[in-house]
Amino acid sequence: MPSRILPDSIHRWPLLCGLTDEDKDCLLAGGRIRQASRGETLFRYGDPVAHLCLIVSGAVQLFRYTPDGNSRTIEILKAGQTICEEEIMGSCRGHRANALVVDHAILMEFPAAWIKETAKKHSAFALNLLSLISDQAHMAKVEAEHQASMSATQLVACFLQRLCVLHDFDPTGFDLPYSKTLIASRLGMEVETFSRTVTKLREQGITVEGKRVSIRDLRRIEQYVCAFCSIADDCPTHQAVKK
Amino acid sequence: MPSRILPDSIHRWPLLCGLTDEDKDCLLAGGRIRQASRGETLFRYGDPVAHLCLIVSGAVQLFRYTPDGNSRTIEILKAGQTICEEEIMGSCRGHRANALVVDHAILMEFPAAWIKETAKKHSAFALNLLSLISDQAHMAKVEAEHQASMSATQLVACFLQRLCVLHDFDPTGFDLPYSKTLIASRLGMEVETFSRTVTKLREQGITVEGKRVSIRDLRRIEQYVCAFCSIADDCPTHQAVKK
DNA sequence: CGACACTTTGAAGACGATCAACGCCGGTGG
DNA sequence: CCACCGGCGTTGATCGTCTTCAAAGTGTCG
């Protein structure tokens, strides 16, 4: 029974939350455990989409190569998040990104066809998928908005604060879980820019020294956190912070 | 019977395509026709999400206000596209954007609760929704990538070409269906930048004079169209163009 | 005709990318 | 144990791009 290795927090995982125990067991029964260590490639751009993949622990980077040979990080995923759900449900012919293991990961793989079948049979599961993908779509749109309208400084501040909230870190002091190079790539900027940005943020109450980060006063840096949130406050960062 | 006013192209609309006639009729029976003229607001940010809205004809702009009072266009939607599907299926408490009618529109409104019920009962419809939202999520991610890595010139070229393809326009000469101000806002740039960009594109085979656009040689401007596509050619523009 | 929204053009300034150099660290091999 | 190396991160200088402010031209609709 795979549920042995699953943490208690699975009740909050988007894919599973709200399901009855029967549905949950049925779903988990369809998955196969896989381990992958740092540097391992889960799949490459263009590969056929074989599985929906649930991250049980560790971290996975999704990225693409640009025509000039550089790579651009699309997402850095952690425990509880899923990979390929959009590729399975949407109309596409292969993986639209490369997946690389950043931190040694435990994964659960569900065959794509099996997922579709299960979604047809279990409407609660289908609604979970719909909800999960809908939220992702919305986040992606907010992201595009941010990329189009926020300065590098704002992007970094927003990222750090979101990081702190989503990972349940202590704002008064936590370590970056990824390299700065990876974060810069994730934010679509150069490492140099990221570095300079960090010193600017010191005046704003965000201190970064080496891997150590501390965020002094969340309210004070509000202007740097999701410019849209002050009016359109549907940013998960803000939502979480306000509670 | 509302199907009277629906065009033949509905078979290709993401929400309906592939459904059996029974499912389609059942779905359409749940909708209510609504007309709205240019300048009319369909809903505002924060309003409760009452309906899924299918655009039968016309055009609708989704936008948000930034803290400094400016507005940013998220999407410009046309016939066959739907509004609010993500807001209904995702976890959110109200509309996450404002909706404004750009061109006199005929809409079909489906009550949100009814849509959820129908998705539970008709798995084919649920899968359509999943597919539709998945594709949107993917497009949003590509958009974010573009915003982060393409120049204004590339963004405009990409937009114009996509516009041409998606609207089935004649590349050798078509009229912009929206004002340049709206397009600039949609691309997250200033009107001035858009205007200057347009003159640059003339050398690249894209001519814009007033509202009139012509795209000389689609292959030649490939470098300006979705920088990612040359490797990661999953851009709908390119897909459509290649056929 | 005149008001007004839309568009274009110019000049100045801010911002981020790029290139280059250097410091820091962990690992390898002599 | 030390020397060397490669990956990572910082800092400085320069350059191209986009925004901003200002002004003038174009169009439409009353």
Side-chain angles (χ1 to χ4, degrees):
Chain A
M1 193 63 192
S3 49
R4 283 290 175 81
I5 68 152
L6 296 178
D8 292 341
S9 58
I10 63 166
H11 305 293
R12 295 195 304 269
W13 290 1
L15 192 67
L16 304 172
C17 70
L19 295 186
T20 64
D21 283 341
E22 292 111 303
D23 277 352
K24 207 176 291 184
D25 288 343
C26 166
L27 184 64
L28 290 176
R32 201 171 54 79
I33 294 288
R34 170 175 176 187
Q35 304 238 2
S37 43
R38 177 178 169 81
E40 203 168 317
T41 295
L42 294 181
F43 51 80
R44 289 177 206 281
Y45 182 91
D47 288 353
V49 182
H51 306 100
L52 184 147
C53 188
L54 172 64
I55 303 181
V56 178
S57 73
V60 176
Q61 170 195 16
L62 292 183
F63 69 98
R64 295 221 251 179
Y65 290 105
T66 53
D68 49 344
N70 290 33
S71 64
R72 177 127 275 148
T73 300
I74 300 165
E75 261 176 313
I76 310 169
L77 299 154
K78 59 170 214 129
Q81 298 190 282
T82 48
I83 314 180
C84 307
E85 63 284 356
E86 294 166 13
E87 296 172 337
I88 289 174
M89 303 314 302
S91 53
C92 80
R93 283 171 285 304
H95 282 298
R96 299 189 273 216
N98 308 280
L100 187 70
V101 175
V102 172
D103 280 344
H104 181 89
I106 301 175
L107 310 162
M108 269 190 97
E109 292 183 335
F110 305 88
W114 182 86
I115 282 286
K116 279 201 171 183
E117 275 312 306
T118 309
K120 269 188 205 163
K121 285 182 211 143
H122 300 257
S123 64
F125 175 59
L127 287 181
N128 260 19
L129 269 178
L130 272 166
S131 174
L132 186 158
I133 296 177
S134 293
D135 286 338
Q136 271 194 37
H138 176 245
M139 281 314 302
K141 283 178 187 174
V142 169
E143 173 94 23
E145 247 175 280
H146 283 189
Q147 288 287 355
S149 63
M150 300 204 326
S151 71
T153 315
Q154 291 175 311
L155 285 172
V156 171
C158 186
F159 178 87
L160 289 179
Q161 184 160 359
R162 173 178 297 159
L163 190 73
C164 178
V165 171
L166 293 183
H167 285 248
D168 233 338
F169 289 151
D170 175 11
T172 62
F174 63 91
D175 283 345
L176 288 176
Y178 322 115
S179 77
K180 294 183 180 180
T181 307
L182 180 55
I183 296 175
S185 159
R186 167 67 184 75
L187 294 175
M189 66 183 66
E190 301 306 311
V191 202
E192 295 95 322
T193 307
F194 180 87
S195 189
R196 280 183 248 272
T197 281
V198 151
T199 64
K200 276 191 212 165
L201 283 177
R202 201 153 299 169
E203 310 153 13
Q204 310 294 333
I206 298 184
T207 319
V208 181
E209 276 177 24
K211 282 208 155 314
R212 199 70 187 169
V213 181
S214 77
I215 304 180
R216 193 167 342 199
D217 181 3
L218 295 176
R219 301 197 170 276
R220 254 196 156 164
I221 55 163
E222 196 163 323
Q223 50 169 329
Y224 281 96
V225 179
C226 304
F228 291 95
C229 303
S230 53
I231 290 182
D233 59 1
D234 55 359
C235 169
T237 307
H238 259 199
Q239 281 178 22
V241 170
K242 277 178 183 165
K243 284 173 194 164
Chain B
M1 192 64 192
S3 50
R4 284 291 175 80
I5 67 150
L6 296 179
D8 291 341
S9 57
I10 64 166
H11 306 293
R12 294 196 304 271
W13 290 2
L15 192 67
L16 304 172
C17 69
L19 296 185
T20 63
D21 283 342
E22 292 111 304
D23 279 351
K24 206 175 294 184
D25 288 343
C26 165
L27 184 65
L28 291 177
R32 201 171 54 79
I33 294 290
R34 169 175 175 187
Q35 303 238 3
S37 44
R38 177 178 168 81
E40 201 168 318
T41 295
L42 295 181
F43 50 80
R44 288 177 206 280
Y45 182 91
D47 287 354
V49 182
H51 306 100
L52 184 145
C53 188
L54 173 63
I55 303 181
V56 177
S57 74
V60 176
Q61 170 194 16
L62 292 183
F63 69 98
R64 294 220 254 179
Y65 290 106
T66 53
D68 48 343
N70 290 33
S71 64
R72 177 125 274 148
T73 300
I74 300 165
E75 262 176 313
I76 308 169
L77 299 152
K78 58 169 214 130
Q81 298 189 284
T82 48
I83 315 180
C84 308
E85 62 285 357
E86 294 167 13
E87 297 173 336
I88 288 174
M89 303 313 303
S91 53
C92 82
R93 283 172 285 305
H95 281 299
R96 298 189 275 215
N98 308 279
L100 187 69
V101 175
V102 173
D103 280 344
H104 181 88
I106 302 175
L107 311 163
M108 269 189 97
E109 292 182 334
F110 305 88
W114 182 86
I115 282 286
K116 279 201 169 183
E117 275 311 306
T118 309
K120 272 187 203 164
K121 285 183 211 142
H122 300 257
S123 64
F125 175 58
L127 287 181
N128 259 17
L129 268 178
L130 271 165
S131 175
L132 185 158
I133 296 177
S134 293
D135 286 338
Q136 272 194 37
H138 177 244
M139 282 314 302
K141 283 177 187 175
V142 170
E143 173 94 24
E145 247 174 280
H146 284 189
Q147 288 288 355
S149 63
M150 301 205 325
S151 70
T153 316
Q154 290 174 313
L155 284 172
V156 170
C158 187
F159 178 87
L160 289 179
Q161 184 162 359
R162 173 177 298 159
L163 190 74
C164 179
V165 171
L166 294 184
H167 286 248
D168 234 337
F169 289 150
D170 175 11
T172 62
F174 63 91
D175 283 346
L176 288 176
Y178 322 115
S179 78
K180 294 183 178 179
T181 308
L182 180 56
I183 295 174
S185 159
R186 166 68 183 74
L187 294 175
M189 66 183 67
E190 302 305 312
V191 201
E192 294 95 323
T193 307
F194 180 87
S195 188
R196 282 184 248 270
T197 281
V198 150
T199 64
K200 277 190 209 165
L201 284 176
R202 201 154 299 169
E203 309 153 12
Q204 309 296 332
I206 299 185
T207 318
V208 181
E209 278 177 23
K211 283 208 154 314
R212 198 73 186 167
V213 180
S214 78
I215 304 179
R216 191 170 340 201
D217 181 3
L218 294 177
R219 301 197 169 275
R220 255 198 156 162
I221 55 164
E222 195 162 323
Q223 50 169 329
Y224 281 96
V225 179
C226 304
F228 291 94
C229 302
S230 52
I231 289 181
D233 60 0
D234 54 358
C235 168
T237 306
H238 260 197
Q239 281 178 22
V241 170
K242 276 176 180 164
K243 283 171 196 166

